[in-house]
Amino acid sequence: MAENADLLALLAERKKSLEKGQEEMKDRMEKGQEEMKDRMEKGQEEMKDRMEKGQEEMKDKMEKGQEEMKDKMEKGQEEMRKGQEEMKNEIQSHVESEVGEIKDHVNSCIEKIEEDVQSVKREIGEVKGEVERKIEEVEDKVQGKIEEVEDKVQGKIEEVKEKVQVKIGDLEKRLSELEDRPINFPANPDLTYSRPTVKSLTFDGQTSWTVFKTQFDVVSSANGWNNRVKASQLVASLRGSAAEVLQGIPSDKLTDLMTIENALEARFGDSHLTQFYRTELKTRRQKPGESLQVLAADVERLMSLAYAECPQDVRDSLAAQYFVDAIRDEDTQHATRLRDAKDLKSALAYSMKL
């Protein structure tokens, strides 16, 4: 901005100098015209005087000869014409000299201005190029960070999956051992008790399979069902389109819990949509008129679908990051990003204060 101000000041100064040169040229031309007028009037007066003198001399010396008078008149006229030409040449030379100086000064100012403009354009181009390079560097760093976080999250998910599978295998093994082992309780009525029974659920394919499976596992655990009983109860709970899945399962596998669950997962599960939800998270942006609370709620919904098996601390950090990236107002987005909130709730609270 300082350089632009200097340039404008220089242009104003050059314009003022040009106007001053034009004024000086105008004054000189007017002065030259005045001088030429004075000389012409003076020459006319002299000619008049000489003509009157010549007339008097002609009257006085008419007898001496008209030829002498004629020569003197011609000589006076020649001198006057010569004087006029000299004056005209002098004025013209003076005017041409002044105009040439003014033209040289104006051309010099124009060249200087053009040089300054080119210099400013070069500086603007350099600054623009530097800004674009900085933006590309920041984008590359952000993309690298996102990919690094995604790799870490995926690694954590795989680790958690492996641990969960190992634990599930251990629990199933222990449960199978307990089922096969005969248990003889003493016939003591004080030691007998009845296990509370939880009512079975139904699944018709219209609700979330993941939510139903979680509820079914809780009910199975509360009722103490083994895998065979769980399989029969799961088959009995299916309704509508969910029950149609049983047509694709061999009859000898209808008592196999894993086979039934895999078939339902393939038909109604949402694991194949994980990448879709992650892409939607990355491209999510606040819509015109959409409040920050609504935006945060949608980000939280997409996080639960895209990173359901991710550890909670990692999910909180990712949700805050995606929420900040989706904020429409650039000033609010930048200030919230500098805040470096650790979870979505903190990022939302701070952005709403802004």
Side-chain angles (χ1 to χ4, degrees):
M1 294 297 294
E3 292 179 356
N4 291 335
D6 294 341
L7 178 59
L8 292 174
L10 178 60
L11 290 172
E13 183 179 352
R14 297 293 168 79
K15 182 179 179 182
K16 186 177 180 182
S17 176
L18 179 60
E19 292 176 351
K20 184 177 180 183
Q22 291 175 345
E23 292 293 332
E24 291 178 356
M25 181 180 71
K26 183 178 179 182
D27 293 341
R28 291 182 182 179
M29 290 180 67
E30 291 177 354
K31 185 176 180 182
Q33 290 175 352
E34 291 293 333
E35 291 178 356
M36 181 178 68
K37 184 178 179 181
D38 292 341
R39 289 186 183 182
M40 288 180 67
E41 290 177 353
K42 185 178 180 181
Q44 289 175 353
E45 291 293 333
E46 290 178 356
M47 181 182 69
K48 185 177 180 181
D49 293 340
R50 289 180 182 180
M51 288 179 66
E52 290 176 354
K53 186 177 179 182
Q55 289 176 353
E56 291 176 358
E57 290 178 355
M58 181 181 66
K59 289 179 181 179
D60 295 339
K61 300 179 180 181
M62 186 176 292
E63 295 177 355
K64 292 183 180 180
Q66 293 180 352
E67 292 295 334
E68 184 178 351
M69 181 185 67
K70 185 178 180 180
D71 293 338
K72 287 183 179 180
M73 288 179 67
E74 291 177 350
K75 185 178 180 180
Q77 289 177 350
E78 183 68 27
E79 288 178 355
M80 184 182 67
R81 186 167 58 252
K82 189 176 182 180
Q84 288 177 345
E85 290 178 355
E86 290 178 355
M87 184 185 302
K88 183 178 179 181
N89 292 334
E90 182 179 353
I91 292 173
Q92 186 174 358
S93 176
H94 181 72
V95 171
E96 290 177 352
S97 176
E98 291 295 331
V99 171
E101 291 179 0
I102 292 173
K103 284 184 177 179
D104 293 339
H105 182 67
V106 171
N107 291 333
S108 176
C109 293
I110 292 174
E111 291 176 357
K112 179 63 177 175
I113 292 171
E114 289 178 350
E115 291 177 359
D116 294 338
V117 170
Q118 293 298 327
S119 177
V120 171
K121 286 183 177 179
R122 286 194 298 270
E123 292 179 358
I124 291 174
E126 293 175 357
V127 172
K128 184 179 179 181
E130 184 65 23
V131 170
E132 290 177 351
R133 286 194 296 272
K134 290 292 185 181
I135 291 174
E136 291 177 356
E137 291 178 0
V138 172
E139 289 179 348
D140 293 339
K141 290 181 180 179
V142 171
Q143 187 62 32
K145 287 290 185 182
I146 292 175
E147 292 177 356
E148 182 180 348
V149 171
E150 288 181 348
D151 292 339
K152 290 182 179 179
V153 169
Q154 193 62 35
K156 289 288 186 180
I157 291 173
E158 295 299 330
E159 291 179 4
V160 171
K161 281 184 176 180
E162 293 177 358
K163 291 180 180 179
V164 169
Q165 291 296 334
V166 171
K167 289 183 178 180
I168 290 175
D170 292 340
L171 291 174
E172 290 180 347
K173 184 178 179 181
R174 292 182 180 179
L175 184 59
S176 176
E177 291 176 353
L178 291 174
E179 291 173 354
D180 297 336
R181 181 186 304 172
I183 301 176
N184 297 319
F185 291 98
N188 188 347
D190 296 334
L191 296 178
T192 60
Y193 65 94
S194 61
R195 179 190 294 271
T197 302
V198 181
K199 185 178 179 181
S200 300
L201 307 172
T202 59
F203 178 66
D204 59 0
Q206 302 299 317
T207 57
S208 172
W209 158 250
T210 303
V211 173
F212 171 79
K213 185 176 183 303
T214 302
Q215 294 175 328
F216 182 79
D217 289 340
V218 172
V219 171
S220 300
S221 177
N223 289 334
W225 296 337
N226 57 31
N227 286 348
R228 190 177 184 84
V229 175
K230 286 176 64 176
S232 61
Q233 289 292 335
L234 179 58
V235 169
S237 68
L238 300 181
R239 301 286 187 278
S241 60
E244 295 176 358
V245 175
L246 300 176
Q247 297 176 0
I249 302 176
S251 58
D252 59 336
K253 293 292 185 179
L254 290 176
T255 56
D256 184 68
L257 178 64
M258 188 66 68
T259 301
I260 300 172
E261 288 183 345
N262 288 341
L264 291 170
E265 177 69 29
R267 175 72 179 275
F268 302 103
D270 54 5
S271 60
H272 61 286
L273 297 175
T274 299
Q275 189 59 42
F276 169 77
Y277 292 128
R278 292 182 181 180
T279 303
E280 189 174 354
L281 263 177
K282 292 179 181 179
T283 58
R284 182 68 164 88
R285 295 296 179 269
Q286 186 181 12
K287 302 173 184 177
E290 184 180 30
S291 66
L292 292 172
Q293 297 96 318
V294 174
L295 175 63
D298 193 46
V299 169
E300 187 174 12
R301 178 185 68 83
L302 292 173
M303 280 297 303
S304 64
L305 296 172
Y307 297 99
E309 300 180 1
C310 184
Q312 188 62 41
D313 56 341
V314 178
R315 286 178 58 184
D316 291 340
S317 178
L318 283 175
Q321 178 181 334
Y322 285 125
F323 171 73
V324 174
D325 291 341
I327 294 176
R328 184 181 182 87
D329 184 71
E330 294 182 357
D331 294 335
T332 304
Q333 182 190 76
H334 181 67
T336 308
R337 180 175 286 111
L338 292 178
R339 184 73 174 181
D340 193 21
K342 301 302 181 183
D343 52 53
L344 178 58
K345 183 178 180 181
S346 301
L348 174 62
Y350 185 76
S351 62
M352 291 183 64
K353 288 182 181 179
L354 296 177

